[in-house]
Amino acid sequence: MMSILSRNAKPAVLFLAILLGLAAQGTRSHAANVETLTVAGGCFWCVEADFEKVDGVIEAISGYTGGSKENPTYKQVTAGGTGHFEAVQIKFDPSKVSYESLLQKFLRSVDVTDAGGQFCDRGDSYRTAIFVSNPAQKAAALAAKTEAESALGQKIVTPVLDAKKFYPAEDYHQNYYKGTNLVLTRFGPKRQSEAYKAYRNACGRDARVQQLWGKAAAFTH
């Protein structure tokens, strides 16, 4: 009986090893196909909500970057003095959507002429920026900025900055635009998703982007 079990077990063990090998290869392949674009576009809820709609984007993570303070909190960043921007890390599959395409969408989804914040949110932490981590990203970002400036016919103040450590924002900020928790807002008690829509509309984000970019505006149609 033992000899029969041993003979039968060998093919099963080999099959399992092949499956594990294929799974590991698939994981490595998936990891190799994920790239990152990090941008600051005012309220990170809005940037996250916009880019998670794009085909090829795997996820968008709200957070803080550009400053010197380690592990900053939302309160610290918005109070000023940390040097951090509200930013979003956009993870994407380059076989489905290009870095250049995402840059083009980003520049057409914010007010690139405003150096003092974005829409109703004022202060350094709400400024726009593109963060780059290598020469290829920098070249692509500068080219996208030049192209957008030509298309707009106005000076674009959005800087291209060297990437610094990115700190994910507090859990309650992630996916806020589709959250179901009840929160107290200036509009009264609302679900997070409803509060997000009310805030975005009141802040005038889409209206200003539409005014600035017209038919070329991203995410406002």
Side-chain angles (χ1 to χ4, degrees):
M1 177 67 77
M2 287 298 294
S3 61
I4 293 173
L5 287 174
S6 296
R7 286 197 298 272
N8 290 337
K10 287 181 180 178
V13 171
L14 179 60
F15 179 68
L16 179 60
I18 292 172
L19 285 179
L20 290 173
L22 289 173
Q25 183 178 1
T27 300
R28 288 194 297 271
S29 177
H30 176 74
N33 287 335
V34 176
E35 294 185 10
T36 302
L37 166 64
T38 302
V39 294
C43 171
F44 47 28
W45 296 346
C46 299
V47 179
E48 180 183 343
D50 286 342
F51 279 90
E52 286 195 341
K53 299 173 186 173
V54 177
D55 185 37
V57 169
I58 299 164
E59 66 173 338
I61 304 167
S62 292
Y64 317 109
T65 195
S68 56
K69 184 171 181 58
E70 296 183 359
N71 301 309
T73 65
Y74 176 76
K75 185 176 181 180
Q76 290 169 335
V77 171
T78 55
T82 66
H84 285 296
F85 295 70
E86 277 198 21
V88 175
Q89 268 195 350
I90 302 164
K91 305 285 187 179
F92 66 98
D93 181 345
S95 70
K96 295 182 178 180
V97 62
S98 68
Y99 185 80
E100 290 78 9
S101 174
L102 292 175
L103 283 171
Q104 184 182 58
K105 288 182 183 297
F106 168 69
L107 290 168
R108 287 161 174 79
S109 68
V110 292
D111 186 347
V112 290
T113 68
D114 188 351
Q118 284 293 283
F119 318 107
C120 65
D121 294 316
R122 314 311 301 165
D124 288 351
S125 65
Y126 292 107
R127 291 172 298 158
T128 61
I130 300 168
F131 298 92
V132 297
S133 56
N134 57 56
Q137 286 189 349
K138 184 173 185 178
L142 291 173
K145 181 177 174 179
T146 298
E147 183 276 330
E149 196 166 65
S150 176
L152 185 63
Q154 297 185 50
K155 180 176 176 58
I156 288 178
V157 299
T158 303
V160 175
L161 304 174
D162 290 337
K164 291 188 176 182
K165 185 172 181 179
F166 180 87
Y167 298 92
E170 295 86 342
D171 287 345
Y172 70 90
H173 284 301
Q174 308 300 334
N175 295 309
Y176 192 94
Y177 71 99
K178 55 185 177 183
T180 58
N181 291 336
L182 193 65
V183 293
L184 184 62
T185 75
R186 58 176 170 158
F187 311 103
K190 288 183 178 294
R191 298 293 178 187
Q192 285 174 310
S193 59
E194 296 171 343
Y196 162 73
K197 290 176 184 177
Y199 153 76
R200 182 166 182 148
N201 182 60
C203 201
R205 187 183 187 98
D206 294 334
R208 173 54 182 156
V209 172
Q210 188 77 48
Q211 178 189 47
L212 189 65
W213 285 104
K215 293 181 178 179
F219 310 118
T220 64
H221 306 295

